[in-house]
């Protein structure tokens, strides 16, 4: 059995916290560093397990790296291998975006189907559609580790991609594939801050991109891209999780180094619930009220309510008296947290892909996080619950939340780690 996060609930969170950089953006910028043979410096990179996995993957492909505090130095003078190993790709979905970058830089790349969180089916059909529309030859083959895809560049990466639905990964794949000498028009693209961040990063490298932040992107690549120094955006998911934790415990929190406009949908819901929200250029303050109101939410594309905050918001609503309805149009079955919240006394039922929540006090219990954001959900519930909660599956939580134990302690939470007991040696 692995380590367990032990939380004694019932203590309102209070204080100030500096929001850390966005993992979901940093991973894509790291993949984009493969597009140049010059050094790339990323400022404000989180120290998380997923970052370590990506660094190991990049190292296998030819990237050298060095840390300087939270600054990450990357340099890929040449591609040493065009095949990403299954044992690393299987740990993280974001690794599949290496396919377009490898094919653009080295002429071809092979990447197995990705792993990562398993809360719902997450196909790669829009990735493959985009690459083929840009002129890449893409073939699938069965390997010892399962299905893998090989993409080959047979000419300039040019074409028009009309996505069936706004897709983060499929859009990022096409951006990387077209950046080196290609030209592409991408239609029905998402407007998430992480897409905007990747576009701005590529522009700094020399790519021309029109329509950044809109549903249509026009990319004109360059035959050779330059190295850059770039600061990663703040993590809106971490920020939202701590805001919801403060609301669930009826506390007061100030977040700094944050982009408030990235969280408009969440902040509006918290205001709707009755909490006092104030914002500045790079900070957000929440002062919770003792008797918040319930609300309904549907997770959807940006600028709507982000799917990664649906599980944490669900946990918060379990503490709010009254009826709330929660659905998710991005991942309609993303409810692995619901059963674990029920263990803590939550009155929560699933009907027709919608959670029906009757808020009431929660109690401590032994629960398990089955993916990153389900872990964030259970932490929020544990902080609000009476008694002690033991949260297993800490390795999932650590993929998305850095140093969560100490960051919670800095806000007054009573948390600790329980190490696994070693088996006694036989006589």
């Amino acid at each position: 059995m692995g380590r367990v996060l032990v939380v004694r609930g019932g203590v309102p969170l209070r204080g100030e916290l500096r929001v850390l950089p966005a993992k979901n953006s940093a991973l894509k910028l790291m993949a984009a560093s493969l597009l140049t043979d010059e050094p790339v410096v990323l400022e404000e990179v989180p120290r998380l397990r997923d970052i370590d996995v990506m660094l190991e993957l990049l190292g296998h492909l030819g990237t050298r790296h060095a840390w300087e505090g939270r600054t990450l130095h990357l340099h890929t003078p040449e591609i040493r291998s065009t095949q990403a190993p299954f044992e690393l790709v299987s740990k993280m979905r974001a690794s599949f975006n290496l396919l377009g970058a490898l094919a653009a830089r080295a002429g071809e790349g092979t990447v197995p189907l990705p792993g990562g969180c398993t809360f719902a089916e997450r196909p790669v059909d829009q990735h493959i559609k985009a690459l083929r529309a840009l002129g890449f030859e893409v073939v699938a083959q069965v390997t010892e580790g399962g299905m893998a895809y090989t993409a080959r560049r047979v000419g300039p990466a040019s074409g028009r991609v009309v996505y069936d639905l706004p897709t983060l990964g499929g859009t990022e794949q096409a951006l990387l594939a077209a950046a080196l000498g290609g030209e592409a028009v991408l239609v029905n693209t998402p407007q998430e801050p992480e897409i905007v961040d990747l576009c701005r990063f590529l522009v700094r490298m020399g790519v021309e991109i029109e329509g950044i932040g809109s549903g249509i992107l026009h990319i004109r690549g360059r035959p050779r891209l330059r190295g850059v120094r770039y600061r990663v955006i703040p993590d809106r998911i971490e920020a939202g999780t701590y805001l919801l934790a403060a609301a669930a415990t009826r506390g007061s929190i100030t977040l700094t180094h944050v982009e408030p406009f990235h969280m408009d949908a969440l902040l509006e819901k918290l205001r709707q619930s009755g909490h006092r929200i104030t914002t500045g250029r790079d900070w957000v303050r929440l002062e919770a009220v003792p008797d918040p109101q319930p609300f309904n939410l549907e997770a959807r594309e940006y600028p709507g309510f982000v799917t990664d905050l649906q599980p944490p918001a669900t946990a918060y609503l379990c503490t709010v008296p009254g009826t709330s309805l929660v659905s998710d149009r991005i991942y309609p079955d993303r409810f692995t947290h619901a059963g674990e919240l029920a263990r803590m006394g939550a009155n929560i039922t699933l009907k027709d892909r919608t959670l029906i929540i009757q808020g009431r006090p929660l109690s401590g219990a032994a629960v398990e996080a089955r993916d990153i954001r389900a872990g964030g959900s259970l932490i929020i519930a544990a902080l609000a619950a009476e008694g002690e909660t033991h949260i297993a599956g800490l390795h999932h939580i650590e993929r998305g939340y850095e140093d969560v134990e100490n960051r919670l302690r800095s806000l007054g939470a009573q948390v600790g780690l329980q190490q696994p007991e070693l088996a006694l040696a036989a006589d």
Side-chain angles (χ1 to χ4, degrees):
M1 182 178 178
R3 294 169 302 140
V4 172
L5 187 69
V6 181
V7 182
R8 179 165 291 280
V11 180
L13 295 189
R14 301 190 187 280
E16 182 176 300
L17 195 68
R18 185 185 195 277
V19 173
L20 296 177
K23 176 200 77 163
N24 289 341
S25 187
L27 289 170
K28 308 307 168 57
L29 304 185
M30 292 167 68
S33 74
L34 285 178
L35 296 171
T36 178
D37 59 4
E38 296 183 7
V40 169
V41 180
L42 297 179
E43 298 176 350
E44 291 296 307
V45 177
R47 304 297 294 264
L48 294 165
R49 288 193 175 189
D50 278 8
I51 298 294
D52 291 337
V53 171
M54 181 62 87
L55 284 174
E56 197 172 347
L57 259 170
L58 291 174
H60 177 85
L61 302 176
T63 303
R64 307 165 188 166
H65 82 272
W67 286 100
E68 186 181 358
R70 288 194 180 277
T71 298
L72 178 60
H73 297 259
L74 300 165
H75 188 203
T76 314
E78 61 179 352
I79 301 294
R80 290 203 309 261
S81 172
T82 60
Q83 298 193 353
F86 170 79
E87 60 270 18
L88 295 174
V89 174
S90 63
K91 298 179 180 179
M92 183 179 60
R93 182 172 176 82
S95 56
F96 197 66
N97 289 101
L98 294 171
L99 185 63
L102 281 171
R105 171 87 184 269
E108 74 172 49
T110 300
V111 180
L113 275 176
C117 293
T118 56
F119 50 76
E121 184 180 358
R122 304 166 84 184
V124 297
D125 59 314
Q126 297 300 298
H127 295 244
I128 305 307
K129 173 181 179 175
L131 291 173
R132 286 175 173 160
L134 295 178
F136 290 86
E137 179 185 280
V138 184
V139 295
Q141 65 266 9
V142 178
T143 68
E144 290 184 4
M147 187 68 69
Y149 286 90
T150 297
R152 295 185 181 89
R153 176 166 44 80
V154 294
S158 300
R160 184 180 182 89
V161 183
V162 181
Y163 292 103
D164 297 334
L165 71 170
T167 164
L168 279 167
T171 300
E172 291 157 347
Q173 193 77 264
L175 283 166
L176 299 182
L180 274 173
E183 182 168 1
V185 175
L186 312 181
V187 180
N188 197 19
T189 55
Q191 299 161 42
E192 264 76 4
E194 294 79 13
I195 290 285
V196 172
D197 209 32
L198 177 58
C199 286
R200 289 175 175 167
F201 179 78
L202 292 172
V203 167
R204 292 278 299 277
M205 296 180 80
V207 181
E208 292 183 23
I209 304 179
E210 297 176 7
I212 295 176
S214 76
I216 300 178
L217 297 173
H218 188 174
I219 303 102
R220 296 183 186 90
R222 290 287 178 267
R224 191 169 187 273
L225 300 181
R226 57 180 173 265
V228 294
R229 190 178 187 98
Y230 191 85
R231 180 180 291 265
V232 183
I233 58 173
D235 192 335
R236 60 185 173 131
I237 310 304
E238 186 199 45
T241 301
Y242 281 104
L243 285 174
L244 288 161
T249 61
R250 314 301 191 253
S252 175
I253 189 174
T254 299
L255 300 179
T256 63
H257 294 79
V258 69
E259 296 280 5
F261 65 88
H262 287 172
M263 299 186 294
D264 278 340
L266 170 64
L267 297 182
E268 181 58 31
K269 287 296 183 183
L270 289 171
R271 289 189 182 101
Q272 182 182 330
S273 200
H275 303 297
R276 291 182 288 274
I277 305 289
T278 51
T279 63
R281 184 181 63 83
D282 62 353
W283 58 268
V284 173
R285 181 177 297 120
L286 177 144
E287 297 176 68
V289 294
D291 53 350
Q293 301 300 306
F295 56 76
N296 301 333
L297 75 85
E298 179 189 51
R300 55 184 304 156
E301 298 86 357
Y302 185 85
F305 200 97
V306 60
T307 180
D308 278 356
L309 284 179
Q310 179 262 110
T314 296
Y316 160 70
L317 290 169
C318 287
T319 75
V320 179
T323 304
S324 301
L325 304 178
V326 175
S327 60
D328 195 322
R329 64 182 286 172
I330 306 300
Y331 298 116
D333 298 311
R334 187 178 192 168
F335 299 123
T336 63
H337 50 294
E340 298 303 296
L341 290 171
R343 291 176 183 271
M344 303 180 68
N347 185 344
I348 184 169
T349 57
L350 178 62
K351 183 179 180 181
D352 298 328
R353 290 183 160 182
T354 298
L355 291 178
I356 305 168
I357 302 167
Q358 300 287 342
R360 65 186 185 189
L362 303 179
S363 302
V367 293
E368 181 178 0
R370 302 185 187 279
D371 60 71
I372 300 172
R373 306 309 169 186
S377 171
L378 296 179
I379 288 173
I380 290 171
L383 291 167
E386 288 297 320
E388 195 169 271
T389 299
H390 291 228
I391 304 175
L394 188 58
H395 60 287
H396 288 300
I397 295 171
E398 290 175 338
R399 289 183 54 214
Y401 297 100
E402 180 180 335
D403 197 21
V404 66
E405 177 195 6
N406 289 320
R407 287 172 71 72
L408 286 171
R409 279 181 179 169
S410 74
L411 298 171
Q414 296 181 11
V415 298
L417 288 178
Q418 186 180 88
Q419 300 293 337
E421 293 183 6
L422 298 177
L424 294 176
D427 291 334

